[in-house]
Amino acid sequence: MYPPVSVLFGKWRQEAPAVRSSQGDKEPVYRDCVKQCVRTNCTGARLRGFESAQPQYMALTGWTCRDDCRYQCMWTTVGLYQAEGYRVPQFHGKWPFARFLCFEEPASALASLLNGLACLLMLLRYRSTVPRQSPMYHTINAFSLVSLNAWFWSTVFHTRDTYLTEKMDYFCATAVILYSIYLCCVRTLGLRRPGVSSMVGVLLILAFTSHVSYLTFVSFDYGYNMAANTTIGMVNLLWWLCWCWHNRRTLPYWWKCGLVVVLLHGLALLELLDFPPLLWILDAHAVWHLSTIPVHFLFYSFLIDDSLYLLNTEKMGVKVE
């Protein structure tokens, strides 16, 4: 029901490792600048001087002399584009961002962290409000932990884009979408037919394993990843909306669920704006991340209401809808 925000449209943008090219890094002035910088500053005594002067937090996050050359040459190229009145280009599949300390994309990293904190805060509230005997208690706790893990890797990825952090961000985001389908299945079918939700769980694990294996060992195909995440996201959306419609007359809090899934997919359209970062910090992806923070509170409000409802109906022996 609740994918972390680097899942649907967020995975459509070209957040790619350096092997992918864009207009900016194809420019001869950029390439010549990087070559000259590396030749001059990244060997011998100059390299040792760079490493000794480099802040510890930069070294710990993997920033190298070559990376620093690329960063400086990127801004040199951007300056030339602006001086000639041309639109700011992307570099290696990404807009140019002003680095803050070790953070490559400061606004997106901060927004991911805030989403994770909101998720953690509401999970703690859920645990303090809902008794463990509630039928959905353990499933919701597991879902929250999967979501927290995804927000952690989203924060790490926007802090430092590497081969590993990109893969972990993508894979953990997909895990949340698949687990959200499992959450939906347990709530709508599994409470009355546990065998059904168990079978669906096994199928989702197999789907996740196949997805990760293909992207890792065959081809990291961004088009395939986009199509897969979009498809399972739409299944998730329609399944929850059907459940909301079916229970609109019996569950007074149904609208919270419906509003959450509509907001999440609607806010994802912000990603389509795709503009150069304002003040070189705030781009469409960061705006999207920031816009989803309040959704956590509404989402967990629904989960709390529903979990307490299920607990009460179980005590009274009423059939669960």
Side-chain angles (χ1 to χ4, degrees):
M1 172 183 176
Y2 191 69
V5 276
S6 334
V7 172
L8 297 176
F9 287 89
K11 290 305 172 201
W12 295 17
R13 66 177 190 155
Q14 292 182 332
E15 289 180 333
V19 295
R20 299 193 70 182
S21 61
S22 300
Q23 181 179 344
D25 54 270
K26 291 179 180 177
E27 288 290 347
V29 64
Y30 172 81
R31 298 192 173 203
D32 292 344
C33 176
V34 172
K35 289 180 182 178
Q36 181 63 32
C37 178
V38 170
R39 188 181 304 115
T40 304
N41 300 307
C42 300
T43 56
R46 289 286 186 90
L47 176 59
R48 291 191 292 273
F50 169 83
E51 293 173 342
S52 62
Q54 185 183 38
Q56 192 65 28
Y57 57 82
M58 294 291 284
L60 289 174
T61 49
W63 285 95
T64 65
C65 180
R66 176 180 289 273
D67 293 331
D68 201 62
C69 283
R70 288 171 55 182
Y71 179 76
Q72 300 300 332
C73 291
M74 175 184 73
W75 289 114
T76 299
T77 307
V78 168
L80 293 173
Y81 264 73
Q82 291 182 313
E84 295 296 327
Y86 294 116
R87 189 172 187 263
V88 173
Q90 292 190 346
F91 293 80
H92 304 291
K94 303 172 70 172
W95 292 112
F97 289 92
R99 188 174 64 196
F100 175 72
L101 299 178
C102 59
F103 297 93
E104 281 190 68
E105 300 179 46
S108 290
L110 176 61
S112 295
L113 176 62
L114 292 176
N115 273 281
L117 290 175
C119 182
L120 176 60
L121 176 65
M122 294 309 294
L123 170 60
L124 295 176
R125 182 180 174 186
Y126 178 87
R127 288 180 172 179
S128 65
T129 305
V130 178
R132 297 174 63 89
Q133 294 76 21
S134 179
M136 290 292 294
Y137 183 89
H138 296 292
T139 304
I140 290 172
N141 270 272
F143 173 74
S144 299
L145 294 177
V146 173
S147 297
L148 285 171
N149 178 63
W151 284 119
F152 169 78
W153 283 107
S154 177
T155 303
V156 172
F157 172 61
H158 290 301
T159 299
R160 187 73 174 98
D161 180 359
T162 67
Y163 177 85
L164 173 63
T165 60
E166 182 190 41
K167 300 299 180 290
M168 291 303 296
D169 178 47
Y170 276 59
F171 296 158
C172 292
T174 300
V176 176
I177 300 185
L178 291 172
Y179 201 100
S180 67
I181 291 181
Y182 177 72
L183 178 70
C184 181
C185 179
V186 172
R187 178 59 183 90
T188 58
L189 299 175
L191 297 179
R192 290 170 297 179
R193 304 179 183 87
V196 173
S197 59
S198 296
M199 290 177 58
V200 171
V202 171
L203 291 175
L204 292 174
I205 291 173
L206 291 175
F208 179 72
T209 303
S210 300
H211 180 75
V212 171
S213 298
Y214 175 79
L215 292 176
T216 302
F217 302 113
V218 180
S219 171
F220 199 87
D221 187 330
Y222 290 85
Y224 157 74
N225 186 67
M226 174 188 71
N229 282 321
T230 302
T231 300
I232 57 180
M234 290 305 297
V235 170
N236 195 32
L237 169 69
L238 295 174
W239 196 340
W240 275 111
L241 287 180
C242 288
W243 178 84
C244 290
W245 181 258
H246 178 70
N247 290 280
R248 69 191 187 282
R249 300 186 189 280
T250 56
L251 301 179
Y253 54 84
W254 70 271
W255 63 271
K256 296 180 181 180
C257 172
L259 184 57
V260 164
V261 294
V262 170
L263 277 176
L264 286 174
H265 288 76
L267 290 172
L269 296 176
L270 290 172
E271 188 70 11
L272 299 179
L273 298 176
D274 196 28
F275 51 83
L278 301 175
L279 301 178
W280 306 117
I281 294 177
L282 190 68
D283 69 333
H285 192 72
V287 171
W288 180 31
H289 274 348
L290 291 168
S291 70
T292 59
I293 295 172
V295 181
H296 291 276
F297 299 95
L298 181 61
F299 172 58
Y300 276 90
S301 175
F302 160 73
L303 292 179
I304 291 172
D305 290 344
D306 193 53
S307 294
L308 294 176
Y309 164 79
L310 291 172
L311 181 62
N312 291 332
T313 54
E314 186 179 66
K315 289 179 179 179
M316 294 185 294
V318 179
K319 180 182 177 182
V320 176
E321 293 293 336

